[in-house]
Amino acid sequence: VDEFQDTSEIQFKLTLLLSKTDNICVVGDWKQSIYSFQYAAVENITEFNQRIEQYRAELNADQQRIPYSVERINKIELTENYRSSQEILDFSRNSLSVPATADEDITSLTSAKDIVALTAAREVEQTAISGIVSPQEPEAILHKICQLVGNQDYLIGPPGEQRQLKYSDIAVLTRNRKFGLELQKKADQYKIPLAYQGGIEIFKTDPAIILLAWLRVLFDKNSPRGWVVLLEEAGYRRAELEAIILDKSSTLYQSYPRELKKFRRQLQQRQQKSLHRWLAAVARIIFKRYNYQGEITSKIIEQLYFITRQTEFDLGQLINYLEDCIVNKTTVEITTNLDDAVTVQTIHGAKGLEYPVVFLANINSAHFPSRGGSPPVIQYSDPVGIRTRKIYLTEPYPYLYDDWRGILTLSLAGNDYDEERRLLYVALSRAKNYLYLTANNKRPSSFFDNLLPDSSIEQITRPAPIALTAETAPRSCLQFSPVDHPRRIKLTVHDLMGDEAIKAGPGRGAKFGRELHNFAEQLLIDQEIEPVNQDQKNIKNWLCKQLQQADKIEAEVSCLLPVKLESEEILLSGQIDLLIFKENKIQIIDYKTDLTRNSEADYQKQLTVYYQVIKAVYPDKEIVPQLFYSTNKKPDKPLKPLTVEQLKLLVKKQLEKFS
């Protein structure tokens, strides 16, 4: 059992029940136990000897379930680390005994016991640890990132193969999601490639809150919970908002701003053919009004579209669903696809990963260490017993409110900061070469103050991030060795196509193509979206007809095709733009923005891969591969796919380039 420090009591007992002999091997590191909120018990590994005997006795209490002995235990310490420099390993080890508050007694810490010192498996000359404080912490992080990328003073790689840093070599880790999202917004402003990875409570974001408010007033024009949000956004004072939410009459609607009431009427007038399409269209209009755009708004629309399409919700039920998502802290995975970008993620999301450069951000009071994180609604704590953090009340309106009595009682019991220290250790030990700890200079936490000496802290008072342009960005030199370079076992359809498709021209650029593909994908969610050029208009006119005629349509379908050669198996990967299912036929559509047909022979190779994949999944259906040149009003005639033997020859030729 791997990652044994993340197991619960039940999982430990299941391990004993599933094993028929005493030949059990568990692997784990107590220093990386950070999932207590998912019922992980670090004692499973720190007190392994005692617990395995206790659990065997409990399982055998009424009948023999564990027939074997658990007395012989062999402990093997793994001390060699293949990731970080020795300096970072030693620094990370110190974090396990750092006080979390000014008055915490570090002599009583349980985290520091039995710490096995780790030794770096390699010597790293290019390594550094330092702190950064700034009144504008997000901008200061971006400022430092811009200094690192393409800088000859910061190199990574073994001797003789050193290179400058790229954006993708850098990760920013945070204790919670909020700071990462703020950093994403700042990076967008400065045009710095940065991609947030991980789960986000999208229904608690500003765009979702505004959307929910408008849905409430569309459902009930006198909804106080809807109008309070909208009026607060419009600049109303707190006293006015309190009067609105506590007022039981409907007369206040007359005093609301005319502009908001007019906008409400415009939304009401949207034709409602079906809730999922109406909702997608209304959401786009609302987001446009408040200038919300980006990955989160797209994900909100996508989630609501599929929720309403797969259920029989009416508007009232949808509002209740969104409220439940907020209360239950429902998260949705957000992934920004950029080729060379800084990664931003939570510490929990980064566990098991590694990066040449790590920024551990927002090490500020009340943020890291957290004063409570996201504890469960009902919680047991010794000695205060069971307490609840929420209470349902009907006044002033039905809602699940914070139970201040329960929260206060639990807070008086004090916090156990051991897991916060383990989170700190996990974050620091993700770094391979360079490690930066950042905080706001007005409120750094005890972690920041106690880990770093003043001499290693850089003050950035006026950060000025400047992203590398295409002209100034470093160019990497690819060197292929006929002896050392391994044979590739995974190729993309574009590898088969070669450079001919790129050089064929004339074209209209990658940006034009991406925008057209994004437009076509969004059309499946919202048919009201307006085209911005003739190519998009051609796609819309044709695709809207297909939506009415097809049994099912799927967009952006990833596929893998195994191709068996004499001595190995090659995987060909690709992305199908569109699949249209009609009775016994499936159309494969690939959008092209070319102004000529010069690259059709290469596109035939691409469609052959797609054809073989779909044919393998649906052997009884007619598969029709087609190119849709966006300058036309409909797809071209079907392309004849290559044979499997012809495809194998193409793969062999591609492999020969690397041999």
Side-chain angles (χ1 to χ4, degrees), residues 136-146 167 170 172 178-196 336 338 340-344 464-468:
Q136 299 169 278
E137 188 181 349
E139 289 88 342
I141 292 171
L142 297 174
H143 176 100
K144 191 66 180 180
I145 288 172
C146 292
Y167 288 112
I170 302 172
V172 181
K178 186 176 180 181
F179 186 88
L181 295 174
E182 291 175 0
L183 187 65
Q184 174 86 66
K185 290 180 181 178
K186 292 294 182 183
D188 291 343
Q189 291 177 17
Y190 289 101
K191 309 299 182 186
I192 295 171
L194 185 145
Y196 183 91
T336 306
L338 295 173
D340 183 21
V342 177
T343 297
V344 180
I466 301 175
L468 284 175

Side-chain angles (χ1 to χ4, degrees), residues 9-201:
E9 175 183 335
I10 291 174
Q11 289 168 323
F12 198 144
K13 289 180 176 177
L14 283 172
T15 302
L16 295 176
L17 290 167
L18 290 169
S19 179
K20 297 179 180 179
T21 72
D22 63 350
N23 188 15
I24 299 173
C25 175
V26 304
V27 183
D29 181 359
W30 68 266
K31 303 187 296 299
Q32 299 190 54
S33 179
I34 58 175
Y35 291 108
S36 65
F37 66 94
Q38 293 180 351
Y39 307 105
V42 68
E43 294 80 10
N44 277 2
I45 196 162
T46 58
E47 301 172 7
F48 181 83
N49 295 22
Q50 301 94 304
R51 286 213 163 191
I52 195 169
E53 291 185 7
Q54 175 191 338
Y55 292 158
R56 180 181 183 274
E58 290 177 4
L59 291 169
N60 287 341
D62 57 340
Q63 68 180 75
Q64 190 182 58
R65 296 184 178 89
I66 312 298
Y68 50 86
S69 171
V70 294
E71 294 177 356
R72 292 189 305 157
I73 297 172
N74 184 24
K75 182 179 179 181
I76 302 172
E77 292 182 346
L78 307 177
T79 61
E80 197 166 13
N81 181 281
Y82 290 84
R83 176 190 296 124
S84 306
S85 68
Q86 190 63 51
E87 186 177 353
I88 291 175
L89 290 176
D90 295 340
F91 186 77
S92 301
R93 182 187 180 189
N94 293 336
S95 70
L96 292 164
S97 56
V98 65
T101 63
D103 56 355
E104 187 181 22
D105 181 11
I106 60 172
T107 60
S108 63
L109 292 182
T110 58
S111 294
K113 68 177 182 179
D114 300 328
I115 301 178
V116 177
L118 299 180
T119 304
R122 60 191 177 91
E123 290 188 11
V124 179
E125 296 179 2
Q126 308 87 8
T127 185
I129 302 170
S130 63
I132 297 171
V133 294
S134 173
Q136 299 169 278
E137 188 181 349
E139 289 88 342
I141 292 171
L142 297 174
H143 176 100
K144 191 66 180 180
I145 288 172
C146 292
Q147 287 183 341
L148 295 175
V149 175
N151 190 331
Q152 190 63 33
D153 294 333
Y154 298 90
L155 301 176
I156 58 172
E161 300 178 29
Q162 294 176 337
R163 63 171 176 83
Q164 298 171 11
L165 290 167
K166 302 183 294 184
Y167 288 112
S168 56
D169 295 318
I170 302 172
V172 181
L173 309 183
T174 63
R175 175 65 178 84
N176 55 53
R177 303 179 183 95
K178 186 176 180 181
F179 186 88
L181 295 174
E182 291 175 0
L183 187 65
Q184 174 86 66
K185 290 180 181 178
K186 292 294 182 183
D188 291 343
Q189 291 177 17
Y190 289 101
K191 309 299 182 186
I192 295 171
L194 185 145
Y196 183 91
Q197 306 285 346
I200 297 176
E201 295 176 42

Side-chain angles (χ1 to χ4, degrees), residues 284 293-295 298-299 301-302 335-338 509-533 535-537 539-540 543 555-556 575-578 590-593 630:
R284 287 191 178 281
Q293 57 184 342
E295 295 287 337
S298 297
K299 186 61 74 171
I301 293 173
E302 177 188 317
T335 302
T336 306
N337 295 316
L338 295 173
K511 183 181 178 183
F512 185 89
R514 283 197 304 270
E515 289 174 349
L516 184 128
H517 279 75
N518 291 338
F519 173 80
E521 188 177 359
Q522 290 299 323
L523 266 175
L524 298 180
I525 298 175
D526 177 15
Q527 292 183 47
E528 301 295 329
I529 186 173
E530 292 297 326
V532 298
N533 54 47
D535 291 66
Q536 291 185 5
K537 187 176 180 180
I539 295 288
K540 179 176 181 178
L543 189 52
E556 299 299 317
Q575 189 104 340
I576 302 173
D577 289 342
L578 198 70
D590 198 79
Y591 300 118
K592 299 298 180 187
T593 59
S630 58

